[in-house]
Amino acid sequence: EPEVTQTPSHQVTQMGQEVILRCVPISNHLYFYWYRQILGQKVEFLVSFYNNEISEKSEIFDDQFSVERPDGSNFTLKIRSTKLEDSAMYFCASGDIDITYGELFFGEGSRLTVL
Amino acid sequence: KNQVEQSPQSLIILEGKNCTLQCNYTVSPFSNLRWYKQDTGRGPVSLTIMTFSENTKSNGRYTATLDADTKQSSLHITASQLSDSASYICVVSAVQGGKLIFGQGTELSVKP
């Protein structure tokens, strides 16, 4: 069964360092998302991406964050200068139609620990 | 403000028993409501998705109900198994914006 894959599963970094989280969405999907979940809290929307551009972003997604689809398969989330409060589980998700109406498939997540 | 509230926050039941989880939402305009299962440290996995015109949907031992008038949903789990231990998250999609609004989840623990 097709699935969303994410790497790394866990990354530990020092505050101020750049981090890139990678995702391979399901191959025929067109809509891509990043969510994050701070330990013990709700899943929060970060950004949605469609047709090679950001379609929506949350207040959390400030200038320190960026997303890219560098080729036909990968979808990355970059955090330029990590802060302690960026420590969270980051989930990539994809869908074949707009999630307003369609199913959303999540990856297993990348746990980011900022020291 | 668009919000999704779930109850109870946590629940412990014995294996083989049934349980019902609740979800209230204030999202408007409403598009659909989803229930996800999230095992500890894993990504959410979809159980059901319902539009406003659907009032019940089943997926094996999971049955979700939706009352769009009162803006309430429930997830009923029948004959629980140890593997049902997880967080169950109610998620609502608004017609506009393309975002999903997540509840805080109900932590279910099934004991032998």
Side-chain angles (χ1 to χ4, degrees):
Chain A
E1 183 174 332
E3 58 182 18
V4 177
T5 58
Q6 291 185 240
T7 55
S9 57
H10 188 193
Q11 181 158 356
V12 181
T13 189
Q14 295 291 325
M15 190 170 56
Q17 294 297 304
E18 177 182 283
V19 162
I20 297 176
L21 306 178
R22 291 181 169 80
C23 169
V24 180
I26 294 174
S27 62
N28 63 336
H29 285 183
L30 302 175
Y31 296 82
F32 313 113
Y33 308 86
W34 283 101
Y35 290 82
R36 81 171 186 190
Q37 186 175 31
I38 295 171
L39 187 63
Q41 298 187 23
K42 296 183 184 183
V43 176
E44 302 172 289
F45 168 76
L46 290 178
V47 65
S48 58
F49 192 87
Y50 170 72
N51 200 26
N52 286 320
E53 62 182 21
I54 291 173
S55 45
E56 189 163 1
K57 58 184 180 181
S58 72
E59 293 175 351
I60 303 167
F61 195 87
D62 60 22
D63 292 343
Q64 292 299 312
F65 291 88
S66 62
V67 290
E68 201 175 42
R69 189 159 163 80
D71 53 41
S73 60
N74 290 287
F75 180 50
T76 63
L77 174 69
K78 181 192 291 187
I79 309 174
R80 288 190 184 82
S81 178
T82 50
K83 303 186 286 287
L84 295 177
E85 54 265 38
D86 293 330
S87 294
M89 184 74 99
Y90 289 81
F91 293 106
C92 174
S94 70
D96 55 352
I97 61 175
D98 190 311
I99 60 165
T100 304
Y101 308 103
E103 191 57 83
L104 190 62
F105 298 86
F106 286 85
E108 294 292 3
S110 291
R111 180 172 297 284
L112 176 64
T113 302
V114 182
L115 303 177
Chain B
K1 183 179 178 183
N2 289 330
Q3 285 189 318
V4 177
E5 299 292 336
Q6 293 186 243
S7 62
Q9 187 173 356
S10 62
L11 182 63
I12 300 174
I13 62 173
L14 293 177
E15 186 179 12
K17 298 297 185 183
N18 304 335
C19 67
T20 300
L21 314 179
Q22 302 290 343
C23 173
N24 297 327
Y25 62 92
T26 58
V27 177
S28 182
F30 171 85
S31 176
N32 56 64
L33 184 144
R34 307 144 189 258
W35 283 94
Y36 283 88
K37 178 186 180 187
Q38 185 179 25
D39 292 314
T40 301
R42 309 291 293 273
V45 174
S46 179
L47 296 175
T48 63
I49 176 171
M50 290 184 291
T51 64
F52 71 92
S53 60
E54 298 174 291
N55 55 26
T56 186
K57 183 166 278 190
S58 291
N59 177 2
R61 295 181 295 104
Y62 302 103
T63 298
T65 65
L66 173 65
D67 185 333
D69 292 329
T70 62
K71 298 186 177 180
Q72 295 179 325
S73 175
S74 66
L75 180 69
H76 186 74
I77 304 174
T78 305
S80 61
Q81 300 175 359
L82 298 178
S83 58
D84 292 333
S85 295
S87 180
Y88 290 83
I89 308 174
C90 177
V91 184
V92 180
S93 174
V95 172
Q96 297 165 349
K99 285 187 296 188
L100 299 181
I101 297 103
F102 285 73
Q104 79 276 25
T106 291
E107 195 69 38
L108 175 66
S109 181
V110 180
K111 301 293 187 185

